Amino acid sequence: MHAIEIQDLSKDYAVGFWKKTLRPALKGLSLTVESGETFGFLGPNGAGKTTTLKLLMGIIFPTAGSATVLGKSVHDPEVKKRIGFLPEQPYFYDYLSAPELLSYYAQLSGVPPAGRKERINSLLERVGLGDVGNKQLRKFSKGMLQRVGIAQAIVHEPEVVFLDEPMSGLDPLGRHEIREMIQGLKDAGKTIFFSTHILSDAEALCDRVAVIHKGELRGVGVVNDLRAATGGTSEVIWQNAQVLTAVSSLVMEPHVSADTVRVTVSRENLDPLLEKLRQQSATLISVTPLHGTLEDYFLSKTSEPEKEGAAV
Amino acid sequence: MTSRLSAIALNTFREAVRDRVLYNLIIFVFLLVASAPLFSQISIDVERLILVNVGLSAISLFGVIIAIFIGIGLVSKEIEKRTLYTILSRPVRRWEFIAGKYCGLMMTLLVNAALMTVGFMIAVMITSHGLKAQDMHLLVAVYFTVLEFMVVTALTLLFSSFSSPIFSAILSFSLFAIGTFSLDLRNFAASAHGITKMFALAAAYLVPNLASLNVIAQVAHDQPVGGALVLYNTLYTVLYSAAVTAGAVLIFERRNLK
Ligand SMILES: Nc1ncnc2c1ncn2[C@@H]1O[C@H](COP(=O)(O)OP(=O)(O)O)[C@@H](O)[C@H]1O
Ligand SMILES: [Mg+2]
């Protein structure tokens, strides 16, 4: 059984004053996500990511196609007990405190009253909100709200967690913290489906990714394979300009300033170069992969023309 | 089911209680009721007549205003702010959400009416120097007012399940106003002929019969309220609001949320 199975899912939005014009937002999406996988759903703004998640949550109804989560219809309340959802740029009842909000959601998800309080306290601790007390959510910063968002998505200990752009709109520190939290969920064996347009986040966390553009699936791949396939080059910087002659056959575009050398090196030549540098006791300053490799993949997929006949 | 429904109801209640508008209204009504005795220094009877009319009308009107103003936002605000996403992604059926919202608002109105009634009864006690057996009828009038809230809340929830807050408010107030004169509509239907009669009859029975829920003038003149009317009004309200709420659920069940 797949954790998530999406078959030919399509959604047209009715737009215009009379709601007569149909605008396709999702065109025949088919995908499967396995249990325990961390799956990245990538696409630029307006690609149809949120639409897909809303369909999977039963918030909107598909024009065509179907989806199952944990082998059952997404409308099955039994399934909904076992999934968690963090909406895009979430807003919560701002007149509640964090413990009140989580207690409300825990009740709605059928968490038994016994031990509910302890569970909520330890959860708040876990997302770094152990000290917020009874402060109302209206006084929370964006980063704190996003942590509340993660907490509400997992308060009932779901097996599958859906996150819509969990890192967008956060500062680098906030993004790092959310990333750590997702890593924690991954380590705990949860199936994670998250959408993002930030490639480095997907690259750091995902086992597999799908790229969606203009409502169409453009590609699905294992992150490690994609990385290998697109064969990224790296930038290497070291100190000791004399070594350059010994490695010149391995490197491209060498730049020397004072005693510091900056070169570009292909994937195959990276290891030999580092080996040589070590032998010659040059001081290595940095090795940086050039172009996020997922970015190459992403760009190649989103620049392809639309598939023939896919548009309605 | 009941635990989810009551959780939604309690949260709706909690939101209203933490909203200061509610307190302002309560204070306003207290002032109104407290100042009623100042209107007249003529005789105790006239004073009491005015107090009962003003007090009970205020309890009804303020409740209806609260019902409509909170009611129009109950569903639309949760859609607008997308808090509904985190509700509907849980094992909450859409009808439980609507029913929970309905109960939560009713709870708010009940508490509100109870507080106002306490203030009102104290004012009655002061003007009449104590309570008489007939004053029980004042409480029957308050009970009918609560029934009126049930009808108005259901209607507002129905309108807000498919239209914008402003349009819902207009529809709800219109229906409340027409409902207040529902007896005239029924009388007109009885005297009309042909196609006019059919339309008038249909309208007379669709429009909420709020006229028979209003016994304020009657109790102000110390006239008793019959048990048959209490039974009729109770049954009517339960059936009418259940049907209207079912309509709201049917619409909401099919709705794509933005
Ligand atoms: N409620 C709606 N009504 C009409 N069009 C919509 C609605 N929601 C989204 N869209 C359109 O559908 C497309 C996909 O949107 P969305 O799923 O939100 O994209 P993403 O989350 O990938 O940024 C966009 O073109 C958007 O304008
Ligand atoms: Mg989106």
Side-chain angles (χ1 to χ4, degrees):
Chain A
M1 184 188 74
H2 305 291
I4 305 168
E5 185 164 13
I6 302 173
Q7 272 171 352
D8 274 323
L9 202 61
S10 297
K11 177 68 187 175
D12 298 339
Y13 285 112
V15 292
F17 187 74
W18 297 109
K19 306 256 172 214
K20 282 277 162 65
T21 323
L22 291 180
R23 184 201 290 159
L26 197 63
K27 305 169 189 169
L29 176 73
S30 296
L31 263 188
T32 52
V33 176
E34 304 307 323
S35 181
E37 231 180 355
T38 301
F39 193 90
F41 196 47
L42 304 179
N45 286 328
K49 304 183 294 295
T50 300
T51 299
T52 306
L53 280 159
K54 280 159 78 175
L55 287 165
L56 287 174
M57 293 302 110
I59 292 166
I60 55 176
F61 303 101
T63 309
S66 64
T68 60
V69 176
L70 296 165
K72 291 189 189 132
S73 151
V74 297
H75 297 287
D76 189 332
E78 285 310 309
V79 168
K80 291 187 167 180
K81 278 187 186 153
R82 296 158 65 194
I83 64 174
F85 177 47
L86 171 66
E88 183 175 21
Q89 295 178 359
Y91 174 94
F92 300 108
Y93 305 95
D94 60 8
Y95 52 89
L96 297 182
S97 69
E100 282 172 343
L101 183 85
L102 293 180
S103 165
Y104 178 44
Y105 283 138
Q107 256 172 295
L108 293 185
S109 286
V111 176
R116 200 188 278 158
K117 211 173 159 178
E118 292 71 29
R119 185 195 284 214
I120 287 167
N121 287 338
S122 79
L123 179 59
L124 282 169
E125 211 56 70
R126 203 158 101 211
V127 298
L129 293 172
D131 55 352
V132 291
N134 287 322
K135 191 158 83 164
Q136 289 191 355
L137 293 175
R138 68 178 89 226
K139 297 186 185 125
F140 277 35
S141 70
K142 175 111 178 76
M144 288 162 84
L145 280 178
Q146 199 70 356
R147 287 190 242 181
V148 172
I150 300 258
Q152 64 81 28
I154 59 176
V155 65
H156 48 299
E157 294 180 357
E159 293 156 50
V160 188
V161 184
F162 297 84
L163 310 163
D164 196 359
E165 308 249 6
M167 280 86 131
S168 74
L170 296 179
D171 60 21
L173 180 65
R175 276 173 58 185
H176 175 78
E177 284 170 355
I178 298 293
R179 195 188 273 189
E180 293 293 301
M181 274 174 226
I182 297 176
Q183 184 67 49
L185 293 178
K186 185 178 170 148
D187 295 342
K190 311 272 186 210
T191 306
I192 303 167
F193 183 94
F194 82 92
S195 81
T196 183
H197 64 266
I198 304 168
L199 298 165
S200 55
D201 293 333
E203 196 159 17
L205 290 165
C206 295
D207 304 312
R208 280 197 309 146
V209 294
V211 176
I212 176 176
H213 187 49
K214 294 187 177 161
E216 279 177 12
L217 185 66
R218 293 300 179 84
V220 186
V222 176
V223 169
N224 285 332
D225 294 353
L226 296 180
R227 221 178 253 146
T230 44
T233 51
S234 300
E235 181 187 74
V236 180
I237 303 177
W238 73 83
Q239 227 157 21
N240 190 348
Q242 271 126 46
V243 182
L244 185 56
T245 44
V247 298
S248 62
S249 61
L250 298 172
V251 305
M252 298 171 283
E253 305 170 38
H255 296 276
V256 183
S257 53
D259 200 26
T260 307
V261 184
R262 176 163 59 89
V263 300
T264 312
V265 59
S266 67
R267 175 179 273 283
E268 316 79 85
N269 288 341
L270 182 62
D271 273 339
L273 172 67
L274 295 178
E275 189 62 26
K276 276 261 164 49
L277 294 178
R278 206 170 297 131
Q279 282 167 13
Q280 309 270 339
S281 23
T283 315
L284 188 63
I285 293 176
S286 70
V287 179
T288 319
L290 284 182
H291 315 297
T293 51
L294 263 189
E295 194 167 352
D296 292 339
Y297 182 69
F298 187 79
L299 286 174
S300 72
K301 289 300 171 192
T302 51
S303 57
E304 277 170 15
E306 283 177 51
K307 284 178 203 155
E308 289 278 321
V312 185
Chain B
M1 167 223 134
T2 45
S3 76
R4 289 187 298 267
L5 204 154
S6 61
I8 292 169
L10 277 172
N11 193 47
T12 306
F13 177 69
R14 187 158 49 179
E15 177 172 13
V17 167
R18 291 188 185 175
D19 203 340
R20 290 201 194 99
V21 174
L22 208 59
Y23 299 127
N24 293 342
L25 286 171
I26 295 170
I27 291 165
F28 192 67
V29 169
F30 267 108
L31 287 178
L32 199 75
V33 172
S35 64
L38 303 178
F39 285 127
S40 166
Q41 298 295 330
I42 313 162
S43 75
I44 287 179
D45 284 346
V46 176
E47 197 181 345
R48 182 185 152 92
L49 189 71
I50 292 175
L51 175 68
V52 171
N53 267 307
V54 170
L56 289 179
S57 301
I59 292 175
S60 158
L61 199 65
F62 277 84
V64 167
I65 290 173
I66 294 172
I68 294 178
F69 276 100
I70 297 184
I72 55 173
L74 280 184
V75 176
S76 63
K77 219 164 69 187
E78 298 242 4
I79 295 177
E80 206 58 49
K81 297 192 165 171
R82 289 180 282 131
T83 42
L84 202 50
Y85 291 9
T86 52
I87 305 282
L88 294 184
S89 58
R90 295 177 195 279
V92 176
R93 274 89 159 180
R94 292 193 179 196
W95 71 262
E96 290 173 341
F97 177 76
I98 295 287
K101 283 288 180 185
Y102 181 82
C103 294
L105 180 48
M106 275 316 297
M107 232 149 89
T108 312
L109 294 167
L110 271 176
V111 168
N112 200 44
L115 289 176
M116 291 188 205
T117 304
V118 169
F120 168 68
M121 290 309 280
I122 291 171
V124 170
M125 255 167 75
I126 293 168
T127 41
S128 322
H129 311 290
L131 289 176
K132 306 173 291 193
Q134 294 104 295
D135 291 335
M136 273 306 294
H137 295 297
L138 299 178
L139 295 181
V140 175
V142 172
Y143 170 66
F144 284 1
T145 303
V146 170
L147 295 181
E148 178 185 53
F149 298 162
M150 285 178 68
V151 171
V152 173
T153 302
L155 283 171
T156 310
L157 211 54
L158 170 69
F159 297 141
S160 77
S161 69
F162 65 83
S163 72
S164 72
I166 292 180
F167 199 57
S168 311
I170 294 172
L171 283 174
S172 305
F173 271 116
S174 312
L175 233 73
F176 169 67
I178 300 172
T180 310
F181 299 106
S182 55
L183 281 185
D184 297 333
L185 198 57
R186 282 176 196 215
N187 290 338
F188 171 69
S191 64
H193 300 283
I195 194 104
T196 323
K197 189 187 181 81
M198 273 167 56
F199 274 110
L201 263 180
Y205 284 96
L206 279 179
V207 158
N209 183 9
L210 298 180
S212 73
L213 292 175
N214 186 339
V215 290
I216 295 175
Q218 205 174 325
V219 298
H221 286 101
D222 270 345
Q223 288 165 13
V225 181
L229 187 64
V230 175
L231 190 67
Y232 167 82
N233 277 345
T234 306
L235 279 176
Y236 174 82
T237 302
V238 168
L239 292 178
Y240 190 90
S241 20
V244 171
T245 311
V249 167
L250 278 176
I251 292 170
F252 191 64
E253 290 275 358
R254 280 158 185 71
R255 210 170 145 182
N256 279 299
L257 304 165
K258 295 194 308 143

